[in-house]
Amino acid sequence: MTYQMTFKRYELKYMINRQQKENMLQSMEAYMKLDQYKRTTIRNIYFDTETYRLARHSLEKPTYKEKLRVRSYCPASEDTPVFVELKKKYKHVVYKRRLVCPEAEVMNCLCNGNPLPDHSQIGNELRYFWEYYKTLHPTVFLSYEREAYYALDGSDFRVTFDENILYREDDLSLGSDFYGTSILEQGQTLMEIKTSGGIPLWMSEALTRNHLYKISFSKYGTAYQQMKGGIQYA
């Protein structure tokens, strides 16, 4: 299977309720379609330093920030292909670089401080990131259920709805069950617009009708705040 390894796009986030989600789905019906995976469960393991340097920096809303995670779209066994993702944000633009490797190989390397056996440009970037932060280790397991919609016009415009966003600090395995502490209130959904260009007029009108406004929100950052007793989002 061929995977997209690099991304450059804007990611706009909105916190919506059930009625607003229903309204948005109705507005999207003529322009977008649910992808072939329907509703999927995404599992992530985030890596950070002993002082949570990456999480704390992200919450400061800097011009530039970055994070490292391992992601799986199904319960992963040792041979399951998983994604090692280096995600950066600079001046509102998100850059994502990733590799695909077997779960056992990835976790063995990252948990033991060894470089991944990949000497591509992306592999070198991951290696530099690892060496720069020095004390990276698994800190949080974060999972959620996602519905992803793609544009019927063939553009890269996408909309995702994430629900049941859960985190935990133990049992950090991509093959584990789906459980943890919620970072959303009852009935909330995190909607994300992902695009390398502008927002279509019909979508702008739908956002206005539903009084939806972009927010700053980080799943990992919010989990960190809850772990340390902070607020959820701003």
Side-chain angles (χ1 to χ4, degrees):
M1 183 180 295
T2 301
Y3 300 104
Q4 184 176 353
M5 295 292 100
T6 62
F7 301 79
K8 178 184 177 183
R9 63 194 182 192
Y10 297 96
E11 296 183 356
L12 312 177
K13 302 178 182 182
Y14 305 82
M15 195 63 69
I16 64 177
N17 59 37
R18 290 172 179 169
Q19 185 58 59
Q20 289 170 325
K21 179 183 177 182
E22 192 62 35
N23 294 345
M24 293 304 297
L25 288 174
Q26 291 179 7
S27 298
M28 291 163 52
E29 189 172 2
Y31 306 96
M32 307 194 77
K33 184 176 181 180
L34 184 63
D35 71 15
Q36 60 180 320
Y37 303 107
K38 308 301 181 183
R39 189 178 178 93
T40 59
T41 298
I42 299 176
R43 291 166 165 81
N44 304 275
I45 296 176
Y46 284 82
F47 288 74
D48 211 328
T49 69
E50 295 175 352
T51 59
Y52 292 90
R53 180 177 174 182
L54 296 173
R56 290 186 294 105
H57 183 65
S58 175
L59 292 170
E60 294 170 356
K61 298 180 175 61
T63 301
Y64 173 81
K65 60 182 180 179
E66 55 192 357
K67 66 184 69 172
L68 175 66
R69 68 190 177 202
V70 179
R71 168 174 288 187
S72 174
Y73 292 87
C74 65
S77 61
E78 291 186 351
D79 297 328
T80 302
V82 299
F83 296 92
V84 185
E85 299 186 340
L86 181 59
K87 192 171 183 180
K88 307 177 182 182
K89 187 174 183 180
Y90 179 65
K91 291 186 176 180
H92 308 295
V93 180
V94 173
Y95 302 84
K96 187 165 73 171
R97 318 272 281 170
R98 65 183 186 177
L99 297 175
V100 180
C101 300
E103 187 272 345
E105 183 176 65
V106 168
M107 297 309 293
N108 179 61
C109 289
L110 296 185
C111 292
N112 291 292
N114 299 319
L116 291 167
D118 185 289
H119 298 284
S120 65
Q121 176 62 33
I122 299 175
N124 291 336
E125 290 179 26
L126 285 164
R127 188 172 297 106
Y128 175 83
F129 183 91
W130 191 268
E131 292 173 352
Y132 179 81
Y133 286 103
K134 300 183 185 303
T135 63
L136 292 172
H137 64 283
T139 55
V140 169
F141 177 95
L142 197 149
S143 58
Y144 45 92
E145 296 174 272
R146 167 170 288 182
E147 298 166 14
Y149 288 78
Y150 65 90
L152 296 176
D153 63 6
S155 68
D156 69 350
F157 186 76
R158 295 179 68 240
V159 177
T160 60
F161 297 93
D162 293 342
E163 298 173 334
N164 199 22
I165 306 176
L166 307 174
Y167 77 90
R168 61 178 188 261
E169 299 177 75
D170 54 9
D171 194 12
L172 305 182
S173 167
L174 293 175
S176 59
D177 293 334
F178 187 55
Y179 70 93
T181 301
S182 177
I183 67 172
L184 298 183
E185 296 179 5
Q186 185 69 28
Q188 282 187 321
T189 297
L190 179 64
M191 182 180 79
E192 291 191 44
I193 292 175
K194 306 172 189 287
T195 178
S196 61
I199 299 178
L201 178 59
W202 64 265
M203 174 57 80
S204 295
E205 293 174 343
L207 293 172
T208 300
R209 281 197 306 273
N210 288 280
H211 308 287
L212 296 181
Y213 305 98
K214 183 180 67 171
I215 63 169
S216 175
F217 187 92
S218 164
K219 297 185 185 76
Y220 176 51
T222 302
Y224 169 77
Q225 285 181 308
Q226 288 198 8
M227 286 156 46
K228 303 304 178 183
I231 60 174
Q232 290 192 29
Y233 62 87

